[in-house]
């Protein structure tokens, strides 16, 4: 973390656009313009961003609580918001160790926020692209012990890998390095809502950012091949173990699941 890459404020970045949609302030006019463009075509994008984030929080609560996981590799973490992975995990299990991975220099400038930890645990940040699984695993090994279970979290990031087979290969390479008892958590946008699909096409063609590719729910389920998929399976994020009082929240065009490596 000694070198500090320059932040390109002329090109929108998915982490900063997501931050804008979640109501954050760590973004630039170009990111807000891209986010507003999506919202103009698809007003449901804000609800999708928030409901996706809530699924992440429920997944971490389950993993750190009932599943007893104490290590997390969160790739494509984005900018800090409320209740980040390390905050939820360490609140339930103070000895939890978390490694965040992102490739946005602005996230790097906020690493100090991410690098807070309980005295018993650890939190670290790796600057890398999801397409670099070997580099990610090597850097994360400074903090994580691959002899013990790790929760691999790929939340809303695999859609940035344009080729589905490559995305599958990345997941397979990462999970192959983790021991039995590890977990894979994934969600991504789906093509089930024509309005959302149209908004993403507009974003991809006009924003100049890395294109995002919504996938079918069956393709998202494919990431979990060979793993033990937990109930309720791969479902819209609002249907993944909703909190009491949230059972009737309308579905969004984003699906995910959680699975255990046998």
């Amino acid at each position: 973390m000694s070198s500090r890459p320059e932040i390109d404020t002329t090109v929108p970045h998915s982490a900063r656009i997501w931050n804008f949609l979640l109501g954050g302030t760590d973004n630039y006019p170009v990111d807000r313009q891209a986010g507003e463009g999506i919202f103009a075509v698809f007003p449901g994008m804000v609800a999708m961003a928030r409901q996706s984030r809530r699924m992440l929080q429920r997944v971490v609560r389950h993993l750190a609580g009932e599943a007893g996981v104490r290590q997390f590799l969160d790739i494509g973490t984005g900018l800090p918001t409320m209740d980040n992975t390390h905050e939820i995990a360490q609140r339930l299990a103070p000895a939890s160790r978390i490694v965040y991975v992102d490739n946005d220099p602005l996230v790097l400038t906020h690493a100090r926020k991410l690098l807070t930890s309980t005295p018993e645990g650890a939190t670290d940040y790796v600057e890398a692209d999801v397409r670099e699984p070997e580099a990610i695993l090597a850097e994360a090994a400074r903090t994580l012990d691959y002899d013990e279970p790790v929760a691999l979290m790929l939340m809303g990031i695999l859609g940035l890998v344009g080729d589905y087979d490559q995305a599958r290969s990345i997941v397979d390479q990462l999970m192959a390095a983790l021991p039995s008892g590890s977990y894979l958590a994934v969600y991504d946008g789906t093509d089930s809502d024509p309005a959302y699909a149209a908004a993403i096409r507009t974003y991809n063609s006009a924003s100049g950012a890395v294109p995002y590719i919504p996938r079918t729910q069956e393709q998202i389920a494919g990431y979990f091949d060979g793993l033990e998929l937990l109930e309720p399976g791969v479902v819209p994020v609002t249907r993944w173990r909703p909190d009491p009082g949230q059972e009737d929240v309308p579905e969004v065009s984003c699906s995910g699941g959680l699975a255990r490596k046998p």
Side-chain angles (χ1 to χ4, degrees), residues 60-62 64-65 70 87-94 96:
V60 176
R61 287 205 310 264
H62 171 80
R70 297 295 177 263
E87 294 169 321
I88 300 170
Q90 291 182 343
R91 191 156 58 232
L92 291 168
S96 296

Side-chain angles (χ1 to χ4, degrees), residues 73 75 133-134 136-137 146 148-154 158 167-186 222-228 258-262:
L73 179 55
I75 302 177
E134 292 182 2
I136 290 171
L137 290 165
Y146 296 145
E148 297 295 330
V150 176
L152 172 61
M153 303 182 63
L154 295 162
L158 292 171
R168 287 279 301 265
S169 176
I170 289 167
V171 174
D172 291 345
Q173 288 179 68
L174 291 166
M175 287 304 298
L178 306 181
S180 174
S182 293
Y183 286 81
L184 171 65
V186 174
Y223 295 131
F224 299 102
D225 282 356
L227 305 176
E228 298 170 350
L258 177 66
R260 181 182 182 276
K261 182 174 179 178

Side-chain angles (χ1 to χ4, degrees), residues 2-257:
S2 57
S3 64
R4 270 186 117 131
E6 292 186 4
I7 299 169
D8 187 348
T9 62
T10 67
V11 177
H13 190 283
S14 58
R16 303 194 304 257
I17 296 168
W18 205 246
N19 175 265
F20 167 71
L21 292 170
L22 287 168
T25 58
D26 295 314
N27 47 70
Y28 295 99
V30 66
D31 307 305
R32 295 190 283 277
Q33 182 179 358
E36 287 166 354
I38 296 172
F39 183 75
V41 179
F42 181 62
M45 193 67 199
V46 172
M48 181 183 296
R50 293 176 178 170
Q51 293 300 331
S52 300
R53 186 74 186 181
R54 287 170 185 163
M55 178 188 167
L56 180 149
Q57 293 164 351
R58 296 194 299 272
V59 165
V60 176
R61 287 205 310 264
H62 171 80
L63 290 168
E66 185 178 336
V69 174
R70 297 295 177 263
Q71 301 191 109
F72 295 80
L73 179 55
D74 187 343
I75 302 177
T77 176
L79 287 148
T81 58
M82 292 183 61
D83 265 356
N84 300 285
T85 297
H86 75 285
E87 294 169 321
I88 300 170
Q90 291 182 343
R91 191 156 58 232
L92 291 168
S96 296
R97 306 173 72 82
I98 296 90
V99 174
Y100 290 111
V101 182
D102 207 285
N103 70 340
D104 180 11
L106 184 60
V107 177
L108 183 60
T109 68
H110 285 264
R112 191 173 292 107
K113 293 181 183 179
L114 294 174
L115 292 174
T116 58
S117 176
T118 57
E120 305 95 322
T123 308
D124 198 5
Y125 174 82
V126 172
E127 187 196 3
D129 191 283
V130 68
R131 298 170 187 82
E132 305 169 321
E134 292 182 2
I136 290 171
L137 290 165
E139 290 292 309
R142 297 181 314 210
T143 303
L144 304 179
D145 178 0
Y146 296 145
D147 290 329
E148 297 295 330
V150 176
L152 172 61
M153 303 182 63
L154 295 162
M155 309 301 248
I157 187 69
L158 292 171
L160 295 172
V161 181
D163 183 80
Y164 177 66
D165 290 338
Q166 183 186 9
R168 287 279 301 265
S169 176
I170 289 167
V171 174
D172 291 345
Q173 288 179 68
L174 291 166
M175 287 304 298
L178 306 181
S180 174
S182 293
Y183 286 81
L184 171 65
V186 174
Y187 69 62
D188 253 314
T190 63
D191 60 1
S192 59
D193 185 333
Y196 169 67
I200 292 300
R201 284 196 299 272
T202 300
Y203 166 80
N204 289 344
S205 63
S207 71
V210 175
Y212 184 86
I213 310 299
R215 303 250 149 82
T216 66
Q217 191 159 299
E218 290 74 21
Q219 286 176 315
I220 293 173
Y223 295 131
F224 299 102
D225 282 356
L227 305 176
E228 298 170 350
L229 194 60
L230 276 64
E231 292 293 336
V234 176
V235 295
V237 292
T238 53
R239 300 290 176 256
W240 198 89
R241 304 190 180 190
D243 290 326
Q246 296 293 311
E247 295 89 350
D248 295 329
V249 172
E251 289 185 6
V252 295
S253 192
C254 182
S255 291

